[in-house]
């Protein structure tokens, strides 16, 4: 990054903005953005990875740029790929287009696709890496986490009253939060690859676990529905309908759940189960993010949002880092990460 200029930073920031447009649409691939400037430094093309199996960001940007790309610079949020999958290597596309300089933010941790930067150098193309790396990692953090750890990124979502209750004594829980918060949940669901609950939640609440619009109709790409546990699920359960695919995992081991989901190329798991499933993942240290919707309401009794975490004194308190606070109508959404990050 020794040669990064304010211009490099500006165009990489634009590439990161473009990459964010692909969130929720590229499963199981990363989100990537690309900006191409011509010989005179002015932008001539931009693009992002829009969907798995479709053209990569570099190819979309090159198509817009056409012959104006020759002698120019490509700014890419992730190292250009060096392998042939459903599309060809982006490194080759940049070489063929006559690009003279490539600036990328994050080295590709995927062994199958890495090496694009080195290939570009062998063709006497100037290569810079690390420009706005932290910002580029953040927009692509789910995919990077999954590739680096070999397991899905796990977000635990729950809704609660001010006194930490997720359901009343009769187990009823509709609705703790208001319409704005519930709509936000569906937007967040749409960004994930799978939604998991335990068998208890299915048997008591009979959720459908789909992404739905304001009229409660399924919309867009549906995440995989995952039911964890070994109790029998009736054929009439809504998670068995034809509105989305469902995977039954007869296990109580969170690590085994993630292992099997990794086999299904799941990058982001949205954990919506009740207190027992949440506690199992938390005790196993397998929650990477918490999204909590807190309503300005009190129950005073009922069920906690999370089960026993083994704490016997205040010394065992589990603390998290507050990453974001957003108001949704009268409710508040808290986004938290494990203390110290992951």
């Amino acid at each position: 990054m020794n040669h990064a200029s304010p211009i490099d930073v500006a165009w990489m920031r634009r590439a990161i903005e473009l990459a964010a447009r692909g969130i929720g649409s590229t499963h199981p691939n990363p989100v990537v953005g690309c900006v191409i400037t011509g010989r005179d430094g002015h932008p001539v093309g931009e693009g992002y990875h829009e969907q798995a199996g479709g053209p990569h960001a570099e190819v979309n940007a090159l198509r817009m740029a056409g012959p104006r790309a020759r002698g120019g610079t490509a700014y890419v949020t992730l190292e250009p790929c060096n392998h042939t999958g459903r599309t060809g290597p982006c490194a080759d596309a940049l070489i063929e287009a006559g690009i003279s300089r490539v600036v990328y933010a994050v080295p590709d941790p995927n062994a199958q696709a890495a090496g694009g930067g080195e290939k570009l150098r062998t063709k006497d193309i100037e290569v810079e890496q690390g420009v706005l790396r932290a910002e580029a990692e953040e927009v692509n953090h789910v995919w990077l986490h999954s590739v680096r750890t070999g397991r899905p990124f796990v977000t635990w979502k729950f809704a609660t009253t001010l006194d930490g209750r997720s359901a009343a004594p009769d187990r009823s829980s509709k609705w703790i939060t208001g319409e704005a918060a519930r709509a936000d949940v569906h937007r967040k669901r749409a960004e994930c690859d799978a939604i998991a609950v335990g068998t208890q939640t299915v048997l008591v609440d009979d959720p459908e676990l789909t992404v739905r619009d304001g009229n409660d109709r399924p919309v867009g790409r549906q995440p995989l529905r995952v039911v964890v546990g070994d109790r029998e699920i009736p054929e009439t359960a809504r998670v068995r309908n034809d509105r989305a695919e469902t995977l039954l995992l007869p296990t109580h081991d969170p690590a085994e759940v993630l292992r099997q989901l990794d086999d299904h190329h799941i990058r982001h798991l949205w954990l919506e189960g009740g207190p027992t499933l949440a506690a199992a993942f938390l005790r196993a240290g397998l929650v990477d993010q918490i999204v909590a919707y807190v309503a300005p309401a009190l129950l005073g009794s009922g069920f906690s949002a999370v089960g026993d975490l083994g704490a016997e004194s205040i010394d065992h308190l589990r603390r998290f880092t507050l990453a974001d606070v957003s108001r949704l109508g009268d409710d508040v959404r808290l986004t938290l990460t494990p203390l110290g990050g992951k």
Side-chain angles (χ1 to χ4, degrees):
M1 186 175 162
N2 294 337
H3 301 96
S5 67
I7 296 297
D8 291 336
V9 170
W11 291 127
M12 185 61 75
R13 183 159 285 123
R14 173 57 181 165
I16 292 169
E17 292 174 357
L18 290 166
R21 295 182 183 180
I23 293 175
S25 302
T26 63
H27 163 76
N29 296 342
V31 295
V32 184
C34 177
V35 172
I36 293 174
T37 58
R39 291 177 184 271
D40 61 0
H42 289 90
V44 294
E46 62 178 33
Y48 66 99
H49 185 38
E50 298 175 18
Q51 61 183 26
H56 288 189
E58 297 94 319
V59 173
N60 282 328
L62 287 170
R63 285 177 178 172
M64 180 184 290
R68 297 174 296 171
R70 187 161 297 278
T73 298
Y75 297 90
V76 195
T77 56
L78 183 68
E79 180 182 7
C81 67
N82 189 36
H83 78 125
T84 300
R86 284 186 277 185
T87 60
C90 289
D92 288 352
L94 292 167
I95 292 167
E96 292 165 10
I99 289 289
S100 64
R101 180 170 180 255
V102 174
V103 181
Y104 67 86
V106 184
D108 195 329
N110 184 353
Q112 288 183 319
E118 189 55 39
K119 175 182 273 192
L120 293 166
R121 289 188 181 94
T122 65
K123 299 298 182 179
D124 296 323
I125 294 173
E126 182 184 351
V127 178
E128 300 284 344
Q129 74 173 61
V131 177
L132 293 187
R133 177 167 178 168
E135 291 92 331
E137 291 222 0
E138 177 58 31
V139 78
N140 204 22
H141 73 279
V142 166
W143 183 85
L144 289 168
H145 175 281
S146 179
V147 171
R148 289 167 176 167
T149 65
R151 69 163 179 84
F153 182 90
V154 178
T155 296
W156 170 40
K157 166 265 171 182
F158 66 94
T160 181
T161 58
L162 287 174
D163 52 340
R165 307 291 179 174
S166 61
D170 64 357
R171 293 191 180 275
S172 61
S173 59
K174 294 183 179 180
W175 295 102
I176 289 175
T177 55
E179 288 186 11
R182 298 200 297 273
D184 190 68
V185 169
H186 285 283
R187 285 191 293 269
K188 292 283 189 182
R189 278 181 175 180
E191 296 178 358
C192 299
D193 305 320
I195 305 171
V197 297
T199 52
Q200 174 75 7
T201 295
V202 172
L203 294 171
V204 172
D205 295 339
D206 193 25
E208 185 173 85
L209 302 182
T210 53
V211 178
R212 301 186 297 279
D213 62 18
N215 295 313
D216 212 34
R217 296 173 301 202
V219 60
R221 178 187 68 90
Q222 294 296 334
L224 174 69
R225 300 180 293 197
V226 180
V227 180
V228 180
D230 51 16
R231 280 191 285 178
E232 190 76 20
I233 300 300
E235 293 295 329
T236 55
R238 294 206 298 160
V239 292
R240 289 186 178 272
N241 66 26
D242 60 1
R243 290 184 166 180
E245 185 182 351
T246 300
L247 177 65
L248 304 180
L249 296 179
T251 179
H252 295 281
D253 180 1
E256 175 62 15
V257 170
L258 297 186
R259 187 193 67 75
Q260 293 200 40
L261 291 181
D262 186 63
D263 289 345
H264 284 75
H265 307 292
I266 297 301
R267 300 295 191 193
H268 192 178
L269 174 63
W270 183 252
L271 194 66
E272 281 203 14
T276 302
L277 188 65
F281 272 80
L282 285 164
R283 294 186 73 158
L286 293 174
V287 171
D288 305 297
Q289 181 185 62
I290 298 174
V291 176
Y293 295 87
V294 182
L298 296 168
L299 266 173
S301 61
F303 293 88
S304 170
V306 65
D308 183 11
L309 295 177
E312 296 183 357
S313 76
I314 200 67
D315 295 334
H316 299 147
L317 192 70
R318 293 175 185 244
R319 292 191 181 276
F320 297 85
T321 298
L322 183 62
D324 180 70
V325 180
S326 297
R327 180 170 179 167
L328 300 165
D330 286 334
D331 304 314
V332 174
R333 184 189 68 208
L334 306 177
T335 303
L336 309 106
T337 56
L339 202 58
K342 269 207 156 183

